[in-house]
Structure formats: structure tokens, C-alpha cells
């Protein structure tokens, strides 16, 4: 389905900036500091959750000062929509992580279905420990599993549909240099 680019541009023009680029970068620095403090001796396998985790992982990883292995996985449930549906695995992890520490990097913990499924998958597949880093945690009471928390959280936000720093609006604006809330959503 094609999308109206004028509409996509208007969404950016009318969006509310929740966090500037400087604020997001400072949050990423903090997350990196915490991970350096806790995982430096754990020889982790790091998985970037595509597509949304790409920018956060790309900014975070050069700030980690210990040896690690990097791969990716892709699980999606929004598919260019602003509400989530059934989770679909587009790419499962290919690199072995049996008895290893795993670090999952994603952009957002929203309702938590995606991270819940990824964490379960890694545990069932034999990870020794699963750690989760998210750039932002959305604050609401619709969490799939209220006990499922990310170990490392850069920022939190109000219950609005957000984009930028990897997060999309209908497939666009993952490149937006800040975190923005769509007008009316
Ligand atoms: O906490 P949840 O409500 O499960 O939502 C969070 C997930 O949703 C987004 O992925 P999406 O399904 O949009 O896939 P994408 O990253 O490929 O766009 C985001 O990148 C997270 O992985
Ligand atoms: O608010 C959001 N924005 C972008 N992607 C998302 N995936 C889950 N929630 C969101």
C-alpha cells in the first residue's frame, strides 16, 4: 500500500518533541555506562532487534568497551501500523548463544509482547542469562507482563505513539533526530 508523503511530512511538522537529540544521546551514554559496569566480564552475545533497534544499537555499541559478538533478530507486530497485532518472526537468531549471556537491544518497550517473546525464545534456546536494553519504556498499564522489565532503560515516555531514533511512523521517520509524539495519537 502506498503512503501519502505529504501526510508523512505533516506528521513530523506537527509532532511534539518529547526528547531532543542531546537528551537522547545523554540517555544512551548512561545506558552504556551501566552496561559497561555490569557486562564487561560476561562475554555477551548481543542481538539488535530489527528494525527499530538499529539506531539505538548503532549508537550504543561503540560506547561499550569490552569484547562482544553482535548479531540481529527480527520480530515484528506493528508492521507499519500504530497498533500492535500478532507477533511475526522475520529472522530468528542464527548465532549460537547456548550457555552464554545474551544482551537484547531494542528501541521501545511498549506493551511488551515483542520483548517477552524474544526473552522466552532466548531462555528456551539455552541462554545462561538474558539482559535487555531499551532506549525508551512507555508508561501505561497495558503491559503484557507487568513483571517483564528491561534491565537497562534510557528514557521513559507518556502513553503516545512516538517516532524517531529507530521508531517509525508507518515505516517513516526512523531517522528523526529526537523522539517525537504524533499529534493526536
Ligand atoms: O512492546 P511491544 O508493544 O511489543 O512493541 C515494541 C516493539 O514494536 C516495535 O517493533 P515493530 O513491530 O514495529 O517492528 P519493526 O521494529 O520492524 O518496525 C519496536 O521496535 C519493538 O520491537
Ligand atoms: O510508540 C511507538 N512508536 C513506534 N513503534 C512502536 N512500537 C511499539 N510502540 C511504538
Amino acid at each position: 500500500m502506498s503512503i501519502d508523503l505529504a501526510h508523512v511530512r505533516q506528521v513530523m511538522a506537527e509532532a511534539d518533541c518529547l526528547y531532543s537529540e542531546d537528551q537522547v544521546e545523554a540517555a544512551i551514554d548512561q545506558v552504556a555506562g551501566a552496561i559497561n559496569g555490569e557486562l564487561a566480564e560476561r562475554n555477551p552475545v548481543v542481538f539488535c532487534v530489527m528494525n527499530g533497534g538499529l539506531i539505538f544499537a548503532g549508537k550504543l555499541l561503540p560506547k561499550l568497551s569490552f569484547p562482544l559478538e553482535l548479531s540481529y533478530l527480527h520480530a515484528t507486530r506493528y508492521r507499519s501500523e500504530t497498533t500492535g497485532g500478532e507477533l511475526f518472526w522475520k529472522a530468528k537468531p542464527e548465532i549460537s548463544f547456548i550457555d552464554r549471556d545474551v544482551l537484547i537491544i531494542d528501541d521501545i518497550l511498549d506493551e511488551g509482547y515483542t520483548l517477552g517473546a524474544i526473552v522466552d525464545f532466548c531462555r528456551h534456546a539455552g541462554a545462561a542469562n538474558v539482559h535487555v536494553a531499551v532506549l525508551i519504556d512507555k508508561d501505561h498499564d497495558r503491559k503484557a507482563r507487568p513483571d517483564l522489565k528491561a534491565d537497562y532503560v534510557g528514557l521513559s515516555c507518556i502513553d503516545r505513539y512516538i517516532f524517531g531514533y529507530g521508531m517509525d511512523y508507518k515505516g517513516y521517520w526512523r531517522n528523526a533526530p529526537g523522539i517525537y509524539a504524533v499529534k493526536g495519537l
Side-chain angles (χ1 to χ4, degrees):
M1 195 185 75
S2 66
I3 184 162
D4 178 0
L5 269 186
H7 166 70
V8 168
R9 289 186 203 280
Q10 191 183 354
V11 163
M12 177 79 240
E14 294 180 347
D16 300 311
C17 181
L18 302 186
Y19 293 104
S20 68
E21 184 170 11
D22 284 352
Q23 288 173 309
V24 180
E25 293 296 323
I28 295 172
D29 276 346
Q30 274 197 336
V31 170
I35 294 175
N36 278 325
E38 293 177 18
L39 300 187
E41 305 301 326
R42 318 252 355 153
N43 184 24
V45 181
V46 178
F47 288 106
C48 171
V49 182
M50 299 299 282
N51 290 313
L54 179 66
I55 311 288
F56 179 39
K59 298 271 185 172
L60 177 66
L61 287 166
K63 299 177 194 290
L64 301 184
S65 52
F66 54 87
L68 57 82
E69 287 181 280
L70 174 64
S71 189
Y72 70 94
L73 56 83
H74 195 175
T76 179
R77 61 181 290 261
Y78 285 79
R79 297 168 155 235
S80 295
E81 300 297 331
T82 55
T83 53
E86 195 183 335
L87 187 77
F88 177 69
W89 281 89
K90 284 188 161 177
K92 286 200 169 166
E94 289 203 328
I95 189 170
S96 170
F97 51 83
I98 292 171
D99 293 333
R100 300 274 303 273
D101 276 46
V102 167
L103 172 62
I104 304 295
I105 301 180
D106 205 356
D107 51 354
I108 183 166
L109 175 51
D110 192 333
E111 294 174 347
Y113 291 100
T114 307
L115 279 173
I118 291 169
V119 168
D120 285 352
F121 176 88
C122 291
R123 288 196 179 129
H124 290 145
N129 296 291
V130 183
H131 313 269
V132 174
V134 294
L135 179 58
I136 195 157
D137 186 357
K138 199 183 281 187
D139 190 14
H140 55 63
D141 59 9
R142 301 187 308 283
K143 300 290 185 193
R145 297 186 211 165
D147 58 313
L148 182 85
K149 311 276 184 207
D151 303 281
Y152 307 100
V153 179
L155 298 162
S156 63
C157 72
I158 53 173
D159 191 13
R160 303 227 0 227
Y161 193 83
I162 61 175
F163 64 90
Y165 263 87
M167 293 171 282
D168 70 304
Y169 174 74
K170 300 194 174 176
Y172 284 84
W173 290 127
R174 293 186 196 272
N175 53 311
I179 295 179
Y180 298 85
V182 178
K183 183 183 175 186
L185 290 185

